[in-house]
Amino acid sequence: MIIVVDANIIISAIIDSSGTIGDLLINSDRHFEFIAPQLLETEVKKSLPKLSDLTGAKIISLIERQQKVIAPIEFISDLKIHHRYRERAQDLLQTIDPEDEIYLSLAFQYEALLWTGDKRLIRGLRRKQYRDIVTTAELSRIRGLV
């Protein structure tokens, strides 16, 4: 099963790599194939100083956690995402959150589930009848079934 990982998932895992999200990422290699757009690495790197301020953790410690939680993820170049999937995602996300277009595009292209902790995105997509989106709790239940 292919899972597209959203940036907020990685940020949550960096904050608490021993929690449920960290466990799902680090210990689910035989259950899931995790992918993400290359952009995710940039987004996460930009957030490290803010995470350091929020958590009191040193940047080096956060980088170590980041490396651990992103290790199971295959990063896909944004350029490899076909424009028809990007257009489809843009249409669907217009009134929800256009900034998540790259993640949804990747999910369309790979016929994958989109894993996010963004409640607004989840509610908005489900209202539009998009069902291939999962929360951490749902993904944890799926792992228990596979």
Side-chain angles (χ1 to χ4, degrees), residues 71-144:
I73 300 171
E74 176 186 351
F75 289 96
I76 310 294
S77 167
D78 303 353
L79 300 173
K80 290 187 177 182
I81 302 171
H82 196 279
H83 72 276
R84 75 171 174 260
Y85 298 114
R86 294 186 85 131
E87 289 171 0
R88 184 174 165 203
Q90 287 169 356
D91 289 344
L92 202 54
L93 292 171
Q94 253 177 348
T95 58
I96 303 169
D97 189 353
E99 290 184 17
D100 287 316
E101 173 261 320
I102 192 81
Y103 297 98
L104 188 57
S105 300
L106 196 59
F108 285 150
Q109 183 161 321
Y110 284 83
E111 297 179 354
L113 292 175
L114 174 58
W115 178 21
T116 184
D118 184 335
K119 289 177 176 56
R120 181 173 173 239
L121 179 62
I122 293 165
R123 281 191 307 270
L125 286 173
R126 287 184 174 163
R127 259 185 295 215
K128 292 185 176 196
Q129 307 305 308
Y130 182 75
R131 300 289 177 234
D132 292 333
I133 189 163
V134 291
T135 64
T136 299
E138 292 164 342
L139 192 61
S140 192
R141 280 193 296 275
I142 291 168
R143 182 177 70 177

Side-chain angles (χ1 to χ4, degrees), residues 3 28 54 100:
I3 310 292
S28 295
L54 279 170
D100 287 316

Side-chain angles (χ1 to χ4, degrees), residues 5-7 10 25 33-44 66-67 69-78 80-81 103 106 110:
V5 182
D6 195 342
I10 298 303
L25 283 165
E33 179 184 342
F34 295 113
I35 63 173
Q38 199 70 50
L39 175 71
L40 180 136
E41 286 184 300
T42 305
E43 286 184 35
V44 171
Q66 173 193 351
Q67 290 171 342
V69 298
I70 69 168
I73 300 171
E74 176 186 351
F75 289 96
I76 310 294
S77 167
D78 303 353
K80 290 187 177 182
I81 302 171
Y103 297 98
L106 196 59
Y110 284 83

